[in-house]
Structure formats: structure tokens, C-alpha cells
Amino acid sequence: NAGVTQTPKFQVLKTGQSMTLQCAQDMNHEYMSWYRQDPGMGLRLIHYSVGAGITDQGEVPNGYNVSRSTTEDFPLRLLSAAPSQTSVYFCASSYSSGANYGYTFGSGTRLTVV
Amino acid sequence: GEDVEQSLFLSVREGDSSVINCTYTDSSSTYLYWYKQEPGAGLQLLTYIFSNMDMKQDQRLTVLLNKKDKHLSLRIADTQTGDSAIYFCADPAYSGAGSYQLTFGKGTKLSVIP
């Protein structure tokens, strides 16, 4: 089925470890983004990309890196995990970054940093 | 920056109507969105409204938009237990170069009492 695929679904990290959250979409969407969801905070934008080779920071980018080498993939890297990065992470994609396009979300990665 | 506000909780009896409210600050908003998140899942696009409309109806869902007061509401008629979820209001915020990023409210958790 067409959509946004996130892996892994669950992950436990120790403080200081690094890891990459994977996101792939098969809808040929130009726009992709990463959000984190924390209780009482809603969704906050981490990084986004308007096309292959183009990335930009969102509201809460510190501690995270992204790259977009292909249209399909948009991985999120945690450089040195901290307990404050315990969260649920969602990847989303859209046909374009225009205001008139809704997002398709992945099912999320639940990350715990101990 | 752009701000989107929602009440956090709503409880209704099965069969009653639910009304979820949202206020936003960006007066240039052209599209406004409602997303639904079921437990343990990602967000799914529920409906949207274009800014030149006052109302949009889609089966049991009615969206009302008051641009003057920057107020958006989602009415669910004949609420069912399957409607229990978190509902997010989202407004595209302009980030430059023709690009928009969705700003989400904190979400309203709807609990349906059988």
C-alpha cells in the first residue's frame, strides 16, 4: 500500500548513543518533514525538506540531523541521545510544500532514552 | 510566530454531537485542516476548509470557519465510540520561498461515553 513507512516502531537508547530513524514514502511526494509529539505539547516540527538535496530547520532542530539524497527517503539522525529526546517521532510527506496540500503521516517511532 | 490553540479534553455521550474548537493567529491562512489520531497510530487527514468558505459538510462532519474571529470548529454528528481519538487543528504557516509548514494545535482528546 502506498504511504509513509517509518522504522523502527519502538527503540530504547542509552544516553549518548546515536541512531537513525528511517522514513520512506512511495508517493513521489516532494515535501517531507519530521515532527515529535510529546504529552501536552502537540506536534513540533524538527526538520523539513522541500525536495531532494534541500533541507531546513523547524521549531526544535537541536540534537537532530537530516539529509535528503533521494525523493523517497528522509532519515532523521540523533547524534548523541539525551533523555529529553524521549518522544514519539512522526514523519510526514506531501505532494508539495504549498498551503493547499495535506500531509500523509507514518505510524510513528516511539523512542525512549534512558 | 503562528499559534494554534485548542482545548485539551472533550467528553460526550454516544449519539450526541461533539464540537471541537480551535483558534489561530495567522490572518493570511488559506486552508485549515483537521487531523485525527487514534491510539497508537499516526495522524490522518480528516477534512479541510478553504478560507473563502464559511462551512463545509462531509457526512457526519461539519467544519465552521469564522475568519473575522479566527475561529475554526469541527462538529461530529451522532458521535460513536469509534470517534474516540485526539483531534488536531492545523494551519499552514509561511516559511519563505513559497513554502508552508503545518502548525498544529496541542490536540483535543475526545472521549465518547457509551
Side-chain angles (χ1 to χ4, degrees):
Chain A
N1 291 337
V4 178
T5 302
Q6 291 186 239
T7 55
K9 291 193 182 304
F10 302 93
Q11 183 71 48
V12 178
L13 285 180
K14 293 183 178 178
T15 298
Q17 286 185 316
S18 63
M19 80 159 293
T20 299
L21 279 62
Q22 301 292 344
C23 176
Q25 53 89 10
D26 58 2
M27 298 171 285
N28 203 31
H29 282 175
E30 287 296 320
Y31 178 84
M32 296 184 76
S33 57
W34 278 101
Y35 287 85
R36 60 177 288 173
Q37 183 178 25
D38 301 293
M41 300 292 290
L43 278 83
R44 292 181 291 170
L45 181 64
I46 305 171
H47 285 286
Y48 65 94
S49 168
V50 299
I54 306 169
T55 64
D56 208 343
Q57 296 180 353
E59 180 186 357
V60 288
N62 291 341
Y64 307 95
N65 272 359
V66 291
S67 60
R68 183 100 179 267
S69 56
T70 66
T71 299
E72 294 79 17
D73 300 298
F74 191 44
L76 178 72
R77 296 182 187 85
L78 280 70
L79 309 173
S80 177
S84 60
Q85 294 178 304
T86 293
S87 187
V88 181
Y89 291 85
F90 288 102
C91 179
S93 74
S94 178
Y95 177 75
S96 88
S97 61
N100 54 332
Y101 294 98
Y103 291 1
T104 300
F105 281 84
S107 58
T109 295
R110 186 175 294 272
L111 176 68
T112 302
V113 182
V114 297
Chain B
E2 170 64 20
D3 196 19
V4 179
E5 297 287 339
Q6 299 177 242
S7 53
L8 295 183
F9 301 99
L10 177 65
S11 182
V12 300
R13 293 207 172 273
E14 189 174 18
D16 288 349
S17 291
S18 307
V19 179
I20 301 170
N21 295 302
C22 170
T23 58
Y24 58 97
T25 58
D26 186 359
S27 59
S28 64
S29 297
T30 54
Y31 286 82
L32 291 154
Y33 297 87
W34 284 103
Y35 284 81
K36 176 183 180 182
Q37 183 182 32
E38 296 181 350
L43 281 70
Q44 61 181 101
L45 179 62
L46 200 58
T47 188
Y48 66 92
I49 189 167
F50 186 50
S51 59
N52 68 351
M53 301 169 69
D54 297 324
M55 184 180 80
K56 178 181 179 181
Q57 192 148 359
D58 183 2
Q59 299 182 345
R60 292 191 298 121
L61 304 178
T62 302
V63 179
L64 296 177
L65 176 60
N66 181 328
K67 283 198 71 175
K68 174 176 170 289
D69 294 336
K70 297 178 190 172
H71 183 267
L72 182 73
S73 67
L74 174 70
R75 178 177 179 269
I76 305 172
D78 186 25
T79 310
Q80 303 297 307
T81 55
D83 295 322
S84 293
I86 301 176
Y87 291 82
F88 291 91
C89 172
D91 182 13
Y94 187 63
S95 56
S99 178
Y100 291 80
Q101 319 306 325
L102 276 185
T103 297
F104 289 87
K106 290 182 169 55
T108 300
K109 184 174 183 178
L110 174 64
S111 298
V112 182
I113 305 164

